[in-house]
Amino acid sequence: MKIEILFEDDYIIIVNKPNNVLIHNSYYARNIKDDTLLDLLEKQLNHSFYPIHRLDRKTSGVLALAKKKEDVAVFQQLFNSNTIQKTYLGIVRGFAKESQLIDSPVKNPDTKVYKDAETICNCLFSVELPIAVHPYKNSRYSLVELKPTTGRMHQLRIHMNKISHPLVGDYKYGDRFHNRMFETEFNCHNLFLHAQSLSFTHPKSYKTITITAKLPKDWKTIFEKFKWNFKV
């Protein structure tokens, strides 16, 4: 598997992470034996990298990594100080509101302590299909733009479940009937959550950097089926 490189300089590399690829080995994914993103990048570029932030294994999209371990903290400060803009796209069950703020706390899986979490959700497109999904005769979906201002584990997946618009393809927090329909009707088996862009001021060069990652091919299939005029 070749990883798409979106940006590179002397300090960092930004890539388009595929669905279903772990960034690195962890206790939570101890049963997964496939190559991690770090493994794949080291084979591809003959260089070790250090993650600056994280994406869930099933989430695709923009991911930044440092070339030197000592630079990780410098770039992480952008996330800690909320001076970096992160934009995600998701396909969810139901008709989402045009715009809303979700500010439900999210539980840390290690400490079991709830922490404040905030996500801005904007609906871009909606559709109703004549395809029955239990318990209804028709099914409804929305394409949403998600902008988290905090970075809790599984935050977006939990928040969309909280407002009754779970992400399609999410088998932990989602709706299994709609997940199954996407698999049988459209042959789409991945989580529909994509880190579309990052925008920040580079702490070394002081340049404004904006990086956008193309969507996986499943999204093009769905946009064509749903007649959503959105550039993949």
Side-chain angles (χ1 to χ4, degrees), residues 91 182 185-188 192 216-228 232:
I91 296 177
F182 266 61
E185 294 288 334
F186 307 129
N187 193 31
C188 292
F192 279 90
K217 62 180 181 180
D218 279 357
W219 292 72
K220 183 178 181 180
T221 298
I222 296 305
F223 290 163
E224 290 175 352
K225 296 283 186 182
F226 291 4
K227 295 180 170 57
W228 285 344
V232 178

Side-chain angles (χ1 to χ4, degrees), residues 61-103:
V62 179
L63 183 78
L65 307 103
K67 290 186 171 182
K68 296 179 181 178
K69 194 172 184 178
E70 56 266 31
D71 286 333
V72 171
V74 177
F75 285 89
Q76 280 183 338
Q77 185 57 31
L78 296 170
F79 293 86
N80 298 336
S81 62
N82 200 26
T83 54
I84 192 165
Q85 287 76 52
K86 299 169 287 182
T87 302
Y88 292 73
L89 292 174
I91 296 177
V92 302
R93 180 191 71 187
F95 286 170
K97 291 182 181 178
E98 183 176 346
S99 183
Q100 68 182 114
L101 174 67
I102 310 161
D103 58 0

Side-chain angles (χ1 to χ4, degrees), residues 28-54:
Y28 297 106
R30 57 193 178 279
N31 295 323
I32 298 172
K33 305 303 180 185
D34 295 335
D35 281 348
T36 66
L37 182 74
L38 296 185
D39 294 331
L40 294 168
L41 284 172
E42 185 165 0
K43 291 177 183 178
Q44 183 174 325
L45 300 174
N46 195 30
H47 194 290
S48 296
F49 297 95
Y50 306 90
I52 295 167
H53 59 118
R54 63 176 180 262

Side-chain angles (χ1 to χ4, degrees), residues 64-170:
L65 307 103
K67 290 186 171 182
K68 296 179 181 178
K69 194 172 184 178
E70 56 266 31
D71 286 333
V72 171
V74 177
F75 285 89
Q76 280 183 338
Q77 185 57 31
L78 296 170
F79 293 86
N80 298 336
S81 62
N82 200 26
T83 54
I84 192 165
Q85 287 76 52
K86 299 169 287 182
T87 302
Y88 292 73
L89 292 174
I91 296 177
V92 302
R93 180 191 71 187
F95 286 170
K97 291 182 181 178
E98 183 176 346
S99 183
Q100 68 182 114
L101 174 67
I102 310 161
D103 58 0
S104 176
V106 170
K107 184 168 68 173
N108 183 292
D110 294 320
T111 63
K112 310 301 180 185
V113 174
Y114 283 88
K115 293 187 176 182
D116 290 340
E118 185 177 88
T119 304
I120 299 166
C121 175
N122 298 311
C123 184
L124 305 179
F125 295 97
S126 293
V127 68
E128 183 168 358
L129 305 175
I131 301 174
V133 178
H134 179 80
Y136 302 107
K137 293 182 179 179
N138 294 325
S139 47
R140 296 175 172 181
Y141 301 98
S142 297
L143 174 67
V144 294
E145 178 188 74
L146 302 171
K147 294 188 174 184
T149 60
T150 53
R152 310 304 179 201
M153 188 173 182
H154 294 175
Q155 175 178 320
L156 299 180
R157 295 164 65 186
I158 292 170
H159 271 178
M160 297 317 294
N161 171 277
K162 191 74 175 180
I163 63 170
S164 299
H165 294 302
L167 288 152
V168 174
D170 190 338

